[in-house]
């Protein structure tokens, strides 16, 4: 393990004005996204869509890294393997390494993420293929009587085991404990669950001797549930988010990159701007999937002639999110 490589990569992932594009939708998720625009998902159409995003001129001003899915990291753009293509643009290739969240035995409504078995060997292969960082997503649902301590602890343990296996091979782990927006809970409940989850995650990371300077945290914002009748506004979301993180996220962590988690592109942009107005000891940036892609996806609709306008939509959104991330604290 080379701590300097880890630190340098982690810092590059959250370099000023930049954040990450999450384009690591699983086979099932990309199928859902493409279906919505009337395109049948297969390896070729998946690549056509992602190629439209990756080849957007100048987007590297705003995108430091792209999280790829196993299918994509093995594909090529104009005869060049995707990781090498991205690197030639100055974008770091990353890879989703978890195998998805499945129902947790004995805990109805809760999930545990799989993928630790054989992970060391898979990471070695991804490193060969050019991956500089990785992602593992754990999901924590809020509901009546959930999340349970067992669910939080088990997912935190897996995240920590994943993180140190990545670091062993100089791959920066993105540690993603996502408290879901689904449900009618309010901001205070999300804050309570997020705090508890992050506490557990950092306790496990410390127990497993993870290098905090060589990782990136990818959390949810502290936000009211999608079905909540009391919708928190951006300044409240920002205040609760930064307040919570200051309590539980060590300052050694170089960057926090938020997921968008079902927020609209405008909401995810506005909330990030408000968060940066408050600021903290870490870089506060983005690793958005839907919020960066939605407008480009619905403009593209699978048509070759729509590529330029879809790329413009992607560029414009990436620029707006980058501007939000660059606002200085006041
Ligand atoms: P969203 O921004 O669409 O939530 O996706 C980010 C991600 O990578 C979730 O794992």
């Amino acid at each position: 393990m080379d701590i300097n490589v880890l630190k340098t990569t982690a810092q590059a992932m959250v370099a000023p004005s930049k954040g990450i594009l999450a384009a690591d939708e699983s086979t099932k998720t990309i199928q859902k996204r493409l279906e919505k625009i009337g395109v049948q998902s297969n390896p070729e159409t998946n690549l056509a869509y992602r190629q439209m995003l990756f080849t957007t001129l100048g987007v590297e001003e705003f995108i430091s890294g792209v999280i790829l899915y196993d299918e994509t990291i093995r594909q090529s753009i104009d005869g060049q393997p995707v990781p090498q293509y991205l690197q030639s643009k100055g974008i770091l290739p990353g890879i989703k390494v978890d195998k998805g969240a499945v129902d947790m035995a004995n805990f109805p409504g809760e999930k545990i993420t799989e993928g630790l078995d054989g992970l060391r060997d898979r990471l070695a292969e991804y490193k060969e293929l050019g991956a500089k960082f990785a992602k593992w997503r754990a999901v924590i649902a809020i509901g009546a009587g959930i999340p349970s301590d067992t669910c939080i602890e088990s997912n935190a343990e897996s995240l920590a085991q994943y993180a140190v296996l990545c670091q062993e091979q100089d791959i920066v782990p993105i540690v993603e404990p996502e408290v879901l927006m689904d449900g009618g809970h309010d901001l205070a409940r999300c804050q309570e669950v997020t705090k508890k989850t992050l506490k557990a995650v950092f306790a496990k990371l410390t127990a497993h001797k993870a290098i905090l300077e060589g990782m990136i945290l990818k959390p949810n914002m502290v936000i009211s549930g999608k079905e909540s009748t009391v919708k928190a506004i951006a300044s409240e979301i920002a205040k609760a988010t930064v307040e919570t993180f200051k309590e539980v996220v060590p300052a050694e962590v170089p960057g926090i990159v938020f997921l968008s988690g079902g927020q609209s592109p405008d909401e995810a942009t506005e909330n990030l701007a408000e968060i940066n107005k408050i600021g903290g000891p870490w870089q506060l940036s983005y690793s958005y999937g839907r919020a960066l892609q939605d407008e480009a996806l619905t403009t593209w609709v699978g048509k070759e002639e729509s590529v330029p306008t879809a790329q413009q939509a992607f560029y414009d959104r990436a620029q707006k999110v980058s501007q939000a991330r660059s606002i200085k604290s006041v």
Side-chain angles (χ1 to χ4, degrees), residues 31-101:
Q31 197 175 343
K32 228 168 49 188
R33 302 268 192 275
L34 294 191
E35 228 166 55
K36 245 184 32 195
I37 54 158
V39 173
Q40 170 139 31
S41 169
N42 58 48
E44 289 71 42
T45 52
N46 297 345
L47 179 63
Y49 170 61
R50 288 164 170 156
Q51 178 162 342
M52 177 276 289
L53 297 173
F54 303 164
T55 58
T56 298
L57 279 180
V59 83
E60 58 275 15
E61 295 168 57
F62 318 122
I63 301 294
S64 58
V66 175
I67 315 174
L68 302 167
Y69 188 57
D70 182 77
E71 176 184 283
T72 325
I73 201 171
R74 301 171 193 283
Q75 291 177 315
S76 296
I77 292 177
D78 298 333
Q80 211 178 359
V82 170
Q84 280 70 47
Y85 172 79
L86 291 172
Q87 285 241 259
S88 73
K89 283 186 81 161
I91 296 177
L92 296 166
I95 181 76
K96 169 192 175 78
V97 299
D98 68 73
K99 294 204 160 180

Side-chain angles (χ1 to χ4, degrees), residues 307-322:
V307 168
T309 44
Q311 290 186 325
Q312 189 63 49
F314 177 50
Y315 183 93
D316 290 347
R317 178 52 61 184
Q319 184 175 42
K320 284 182 197 160
V321 178
S322 163

Side-chain angles (χ1 to χ4, degrees), residues 22 24 135 137 176 178 218 259-262 287-290:
D24 60 328
K135 175 188 118 171
R137 173 176 180 254
E176 180 179 3
E178 174 176 4
K218 174 165 175 168
L259 55 95
S260 57
S287 174
Y288 292 162
R290 285 162 285 179

Side-chain angles (χ1 to χ4, degrees), residues 178-194:
E178 174 176 4
V179 176
L180 296 176
M181 272 178 82
D182 302 326
H185 56 271
D186 61 8
L187 182 91
R189 177 88 174 112
C190 178
Q191 181 164 26
E192 177 200 343
V193 173
T194 302

Side-chain angles (χ1 to χ4, degrees), residues 6-26:
L6 290 170
K7 280 189 189 169
T8 308
T9 304
Q11 282 161 14
M13 288 162 72
V14 289
S17 81
K18 293 187 188 181
I20 291 164
L21 166 68
D24 60 328
E25 298 82 6
S26 64

